[in-house]
Amino acid sequence: MRVLNLTVNGDATEVAAPAHWTLLEVLRYRMGLTGSKQGCDKGDCGACTVLIDGEPQLSCLTVAALAEGHEITTIEGLLPAHLRAGGEGPDPVQEAFDRCGALQCGFCQPGMILSARALLSENPAPTRDEIKAALSGNLCRCTGYTQIYQAVELALAEATGAEPASPSWAPGENPWAKTPEGNARPAVGAAGLTEGTGVAPSGGDSRTNGKAH
Amino acid sequence: MLRLPKFEVAAPQTVDEALALLAEYGADAMLMAGGTDLVPNMKHGLFEPKLVVSVSAIDELQGVAIEDDGTLVIGAATTLQAVATNDEVRRRAPAFAQAAGLVAGPQLRRMGTVGGNVMLDTRCQWYNQTHFWRKSLGFCLKKDGSLCHVVEGGSKCVAAASNDTAPTLMSLGAKLVFARRNSEGQVVRKTLAVDDLYKSDGAFNKKVAGDELLIAVRIPAGAPQHRGAYGKLRDRGSIDFPLLGVAVRIDLDDAGAVADADLVAVALQARPIRLKKAAEALVGNTPGKPGWDEAVDAAAEAAYGQCHPMPNIPGDHDYRREMVPVYVRRTIRAAVAGEGPVHHV
Amino acid sequence: MASRDQHGIHPPFADADGKRRFGVIGKPLRKVDGIAKATGQAVYADDIQLPGMLHAKTLRSPHAHARIVRIDTSRAEALPGVHAVITGRSMPIPYGVIPWTPDENALAVDRVRFIGDEVAAVAAVDEDTANAALELIDVEYELLAVYLDPVEALENCTDAIHPNPKRPERGNLSKRVELDFGDVADGFERADVIVEDDYTFHGTTHTAIEPHCAVATYSPDKLLTLWSATQITHYVHRALARVLELPAHSIRVIQPCLGGAFGGKSDPFSLEFCVAKLAMITGRPVKMLWTREEVFYAHRGRHPMRLHYKTGATKDGKVTAVDAKILIDGGAYSSFGLVTTYYSGQLLTGPYDFPAYHYDSTRVFTNKPPCGPKRGHGSVQPRFAFEVQLDEVAEALAMDPIELRRANWQGEHTKTVNGQRITSNGFMQCLAEVERASRWKERRGKLPFGRGLGVAGSMYISGTNYPIYPNDMPQAGIQLKVDRSGLVMAFTGGNDIGQGSNTVVRTIVCEELGLEPDMVRVVAADTDLCPVDLGAYSSRVTFMVGNATIDAARKLRHQIAGAVAAEWEIDPGRIFMGSGQVFDLEDRAKCISSMEAFQIAEARCDTLGSTGAYNTPTLGGDYRGGTIGASPAYSFTAHAVEVQVDVETGRITVDNCWIAHDCGRALNPMLVAGQMEGSAYMGLAEAVLEHHDVNRFGLHAGPSLLDYRIPTSVDTPELHALIVESLDPEGPYGAKEAGEGPLHPSIPAISNAVFDAVGIRLRHLPFTPGKVLAALRERRAAETAVGSAKESV
Ligand SMILES: Cc1cc2nc3c(=O)[nH]c(=O)nc-3n(C[C@H](O)[C@H](O)[C@H](O)COP(=O)(O)OP(=O)(O)OC[C@H]3O[C@@H](n4cnc5c(N)ncnc54)[C@H](O)[C@@H]3O)c2cc1C
Ligand code: SF4
Ligand code: FES
Ligand code: FES
C-alpha cells in the first residue's frame, strides 16, 4: 500500500492504494469519483478519459502513483470549477451535451465531454472535422456521434454568440436558435397558454431546451 | 476490471538514478514511458516486472532540440503529440511527424512517447490477448508456449513490428542514443543506427537489452530538397495499429531528379523492411517528367515482390499484400507533392 | 385495467378557442437524466459500493465442447481472502429467457459448450484474490466433438451440444420454422422476372460501452436485492426466483443507470445468479464486473445467417412471390432463438405487399458464444438479403429502385400475407423524404464512377403481443403518486437503457396533467417499487409504457379536474390544466397552481394516485407462431446512402446517410433523431467494419474493443435524421417505435449504393475491402470476356 498525493479537481488529497492500481481504479474505488467510466479495460475505448494537466489521457492505462504531481480533472470537477469561475450551473460543454440530447446511455460521455472540453480550451473555433478528430479516441455506441458534434458546436456558438446550425430533424424552427434579444428560445410551456393569451406565464423551466430568461 | 499484476513503481528524476534501479533489479525491472504499450501488455500477463521504472520524470528525456548542423534531437520521453504538432519536426522530418500523428488515438498520442514507440513490443493476434485466452490454446512460443499459430511448425516467432514511427526513422537514417551501466557500475552511452536496432525475431525484435535506456532519437539534417511522407493502412480512421505502414524519403537534386530515396515498410514481419529495389527504381527519375509514372509503378512492383504479409496481426493478409503497391505508389506521390500522410481519413 | 384502450392521437386539452395544442409533446425537451449523466453523477451498476462488499470472478471453460468430469475447489477455498466458491452443482436448475427452452445454467453443471462458458465463481476480498483463486480450481474435462460450422453441426452430429434423449434425431437442431402463405408456385408462374441468389450475414455484437455488472445483498430477514445492468428487470426477477428457489416476493431487482444494451442485456446472465448465490452464502454484499473479454463471450449478438432468396415480379415491378431458406447459426444456447427463428421470416412482410410467401428457417447449435437479440432482432439479416434482391429486381426490370419500392407499397390499414395487421404506414413519405434529401433524381445513376447512391426500406414492430411467458396480465403497468408539494412521481417497470423511456414517461405525465417537466420525477425498473413492465426489448417501451402512462394520468386528471370543478362549482369541462396551473377557461381570474389543485383534490378525494396499464389487442395470424411478430403498430423506414468506393483499395466510404423514419409521432424529436442516428450508425458499422467471429480453435477471434472494431467519430458518415409522422391510431398520441427500425435499411442501402457506384453486387457481409476488390476484378474479367466476345463477332 502506498500513500499517494494526488491533486484531483483542484484538491490535494492523500489516498492509500496498492502500487499496481491504475488511476481509474483509485479514482473510482478509493476516492468514490465514479464519474470516470471503464469500458474496455485497456486503452481501447476512451470512457476513462480524464484531463491530466489539461490534456485528455486514459486513466485505465495510467499507473496511479505516476499521476502524483499532476493536475487531474475528472468529470466531477467541471461543474464546481465553472461555479468557482463565476459561472452558473454546469460547464457550458456539459450544458450543451444535455440540451442537444447527446447523452443517451451516457456511459461514454464523461470521457467524451472531457475530450471536448480540452479541445475547446485549446482551439476556440474548431471545424467539424477538427471536432471529429479530437473525439476520435472516445467510442460512443449510442448516438452515432451526430448529437455530440451538435453539442460541441452549440457550446461554441454560445461562446461566440454565433447562431447554431439547425439539426436535420427540425426543418421548421431551430431548437437552439437565439431570439433577437439574444436569449435562447423561450422555454417550453403548455403551448395553448403561452401563445398570446397572457394568462399563464410561460414556463421558465431551465431544464427544457432554451435557457430560463 | 482487467487487473494489473502486482508491481512496485519508481519515478527516478535522472538517467543515473534510472540506470541504478535497472542495474539493481536486473530482469525484474522494466522501463515505462507513457505505458500505453506496457500497461495493456501487463494486463494481458505478458510482462510481470517487480519494478516499473518510469522515465517520465527525467528531464533529459523530454523535448525537441535542433543542433547547429540541423540534427533534430528528440528526447525519448517526448510525447507523440508533441512531435506530431511541432513545426520544426513537421518541416524537417515530415514522414516521422505524420507517422507520430497517426499512432493510435488522440489520448494515446498524448501519453505515448517516441521512445516507447521505437521500443514497442511486436504484435500478433495470438499474443496480444489475455492470459485466459492464450492459455485456452496452449500459449505460443513468444510467451509461455512452444508452438507458433501463424507458421505451422515454425520455430521462430514472426510477430509484427507495428510501430508507426520506426520505418520513418529508418528512412531518415535516424540514430538512437542509449545509456546503460556497465559491469563496473559506470554509465556508458552508445549511439546506434535505428537500422541496427531491429532484428527479425518476433519474440524480441531489438538488439539492446532491458537495462538499456533510450535517451534520444537523433535525426540528421535532411538533404536540401528532402521529401517525405508516411502511408498507413488500417481499418478505422483512429485508434487502430497499422495493418501496413510505408515510409518514404526522397532527396531531389537541383534539377528535380531523385538523387536518393529510401522506402521502409512496417507491420509485416518482426522488423521493419527496407524496400531497397523499390527505392532504386526511383533514383534518377524526375517527378512529373516522362518515365516518372513508370518508375513509381516499378517501385510499387518491386515492393510487392518483396513484401509477404503473414496472418500475424489481425486482418486479411492477402489483402495487406495487395495494398503494398497501392500504398507505396500513393506515399511516393504524396512525398513528392509535399503532402501526406496517406491515410483513408 | 384499461387495456386495449385507445387514447387517440390528440392532445388531452382543448383551449378556450376550442383548439387542441400540445404543451410538451413534440418538443425537444431535455432528458430526465441528462445533466446527471453529463456531470458524472448518474449511478451505474459498477458505481455501487456497499460496506463489506466482496468481489466475484468467474472461471471459464478453455474448451469449446467438453464434459466436466470433476471439479475440485478445495485449493481455491483454502486461499486466504476467499469467502466462497460455487459451481454448477450449487445452482443446478436450468433456465432460459424463453420458458420453452430452458437450456442454460448459471454455471455449467456437467458440460461446457463454448470457450468462455461459465464453470465456477469465487467471491473474495478483492478482485486480485478472486482471480488468484480461479487459478486454484481444478477441473477435469473430457473433450467432445466441436461444431463450429452450422452445416457440419446439423449434418454430422455425433455429440449433440444439447442432447435430447427423447428425440435424438434432433441432433444440433435448435428450432425450425417453415410457413407458407398464399400460392407461391402460382406467384412464380405469374412472374415476368425471377431473381434468385445467396446472401450471407456475418455475426456482430452489441458492445454497449458499459460491461455487464451485478451487485447483490442478502439481508438477515431473507430479502435478496440485486442491482444489475439489465434491460429486463422482470425476467431477471423471474429467473432468480426459479434458479435460487426463492419466493419471488423475497427478491428485489433494480436496474441502475444503464450504460447501453442494444439487446445484449436482455437475457438473465450467469453473473446475476452468481452474485446472488454468493451473497446468500457469505452474508456479504457481492459484486461481479465482467471484463470486456467476458462480455464478448456472453455475446447474445446478431445471428450469422446464410440466406437464400427467390423473388418473382411482374414487368411493372409488382412482387408476385418470395421464397426464403435461412440457416441460422445459434451458438451454444437457445437464448431468444425460438423468437429469432420466427422473426427471420415473420417480419419481412412489409412495407411491401406480396401475395405469396414461403420461408423455411433453421436455427442450429454450434460451440460458439450464444447468439441472441441485437437491435432489429432476427429481421436485420433477412431484410439485408431481401432489399438487395429488390434492387436486383429493379435492375432486371430497368426500374428506378425507389419506384420499384413504391410500386409494391402495401398501403395503410391493411393485412400482410402472414396475417399481421398494419395500421398507420408512412413508408411512402419516407421514400419521398430520402429521394428529396439525397437529390436522388438528379444524382442516382449519374454520379461519376466510384460514387453512388443506394436505397432500402424496412418495417419493424412496436412491441409484440407475445409476452414471452403466457399470461393475461398487462404487458406494461405504471403507477402515479401525487404529492402535496406539487410533485408527481411516476413508478414504471420500464427500463430506460439510454433510449430515454423515462423522459417519455415524464413528458406524457406533464402533458396530461399540465405540469412543467421539473414537477414530475420518474422511478423506474425497481421490482419493489414499480409495477411490472416487460422491459426494454422489441421496441415496445414508448408504445406500451406510453399508453399505460396516458391511462394512469388521465384517471388522475379526471379526479383532479373533478375536485377543482366541484370546489369552484363549475362544470369540469371548463377546467384547464397547463404550465403548472389550473384555471377556469371561462373565467381566467380563477387560476391556481397545480400544487393547490392537488391539495384541493387530496382534501376531497383522499390520497391521490393512479395506476395505468397496457395490453395489446388480439393480434396475429391464426396459426402456430402467428402471434410472434404481431405488433399493435409497425414503424417504417427508408434510407438513402451515398458511398465512395476506392477502386484501388476496395474501401467503401459512406459519406452521407439520410434516414427517414415513420415513428408515428415524435413525442420528443430530439430523442427520436438520436435513436435514428444511433441505429443507422450501428447498421453501417455492421456493413463495413464489424465481425464477431471465432477462430479455428473455436476461440473468439479478438474479444476486445481494439480487435472488434466499432466505428469512431471519423469512421461515421454524416447522418441526417428525417422524421416522418403517420399518427398511429393506437400509439400514445400516435407514436410508434424509433429505436430499432432505422437500423435495418443501412446495410442493404450500402450494398445497393456500391452497385450504383461501381457496378458490383455485394451479397456477403461484411463488405471488406478485400471482397470489394475481388468483386471488382470479377467484374472486369466479365467485361473483358464480353468485350473480346464482341470483337470476335
Ligand atoms: C488502443 C491502442 C492503439 C494503439 N495504436 C498504435 C498505433 O496505431 N501505432 C503505434 O505505433 N502504436 C500504437 N499503440 C501503441 C502505443 O500507444 C504507442 O506505440 C506508443 O508510442 C508507445 O509509447 P509509450 O511511451 O506509451 O510506451 P511504453 O508502453 O511506456 O513502453 C513501450 C516499450 O518500450 C520500452 N521503453 C519505453 N521507453 C523506453 C526508453 N526510454 N528506453 C528503453 N525502453 C523504453 C518499455 O519498456 C516497453 O517495453 C497503440 C496502443 C493502444 C493501447
Ligand atoms: S508469430 Fe504470433 S503465434 Fe507465432 S510465436 Fe509469435 S506471437 Fe506466437
Ligand atoms: S477504459 Fe480506458 S480506454 Fe477503455
Ligand atoms: S451515449 Fe451511450 S455510449 Fe455514448
Side-chain angles (χ1 to χ4, degrees), chain A residues 29 37 104-105 132 192 209, chain C residues 15 28 37 44 46-47 713:
Chain A
Y29 307 127
K37 300 302 181 205
Q104 288 195 23
C105 81
K132 286 186 181 181
N209 255 303
Chain C
D15 199 351
K37 286 172 172 172
Y44 298 78
D46 186 42
D47 301 342
S713 49

Side-chain angles (χ1 to χ4, degrees), chain B residues 1 3 123 126 129-130 132-133 136-137 149 234-237 240 319 322-323 329-330 344-345, chain C residues 60-61 127-128 289 293 297 646 648-649 651 695-696 699-700 703 705 709-710 715 769 773 777:
Chain B
M1 198 175 292
R3 305 277 305 164
R123 296 187 64 84
W126 308 100
Q129 304 281 3
T130 64
F132 167 79
W133 195 100
S136 297
L137 45 79
H149 305 296
R234 57 176 166 180
D235 279 349
R236 295 182 291 186
D240 292 343
Y319 176 71
E322 250 185 295
M323 286 306 100
R329 264 198 306 272
R330 289 185 179 185
H344 69 278
V345 293
Chain C
R60 292 173 181 277
S61 165
E127 283 190 288
D128 288 344
L289 167 67
E293 179 188 20
Y297 298 142
D646 182 328
E648 260 190 340
T649 63
R651 187 186 292 275
N695 60 28
R696 60 180 188 267
L699 185 53
H700 192 293
L705 288 182
R709 288 170 180 157
I710 72 173
D715 305 300
L773 285 184
R777 263 195 302 272

Side-chain angles (χ1 to χ4, degrees), chain A residues 22 24 37-49 57-62 136-139, chain B residues 1-2 34-37 39-41 43-44 103-109 111 123 236 238-241, chain C residues 292 704-707 712:
Chain A
T22 62
L24 180 63
K37 300 302 181 205
Q38 187 268 132
C40 71
D41 301 311
K42 58 177 195 71
D44 305 334
C45 77
C48 64
T49 303
Q57 301 196 11
L58 302 177
S59 59
C60 75
L61 296 186
T62 304
S136 69
N138 294 86
L139 298 176
Chain B
M1 198 175 292
L2 198 55
T36 62
D37 182 45
V39 173
N41 287 350
K43 286 190 172 186
H44 282 168
V103 170
Q107 300 96 321
L108 287 163
R109 285 193 294 276
M111 303 171 72
R123 296 187 64 84
R236 295 182 291 186
S238 184
I239 303 181
D240 292 343
F241 281 91
Chain C
R292 176 54 59 181
S704 72
L705 288 182
L706 182 60
D707 292 330
T712 72

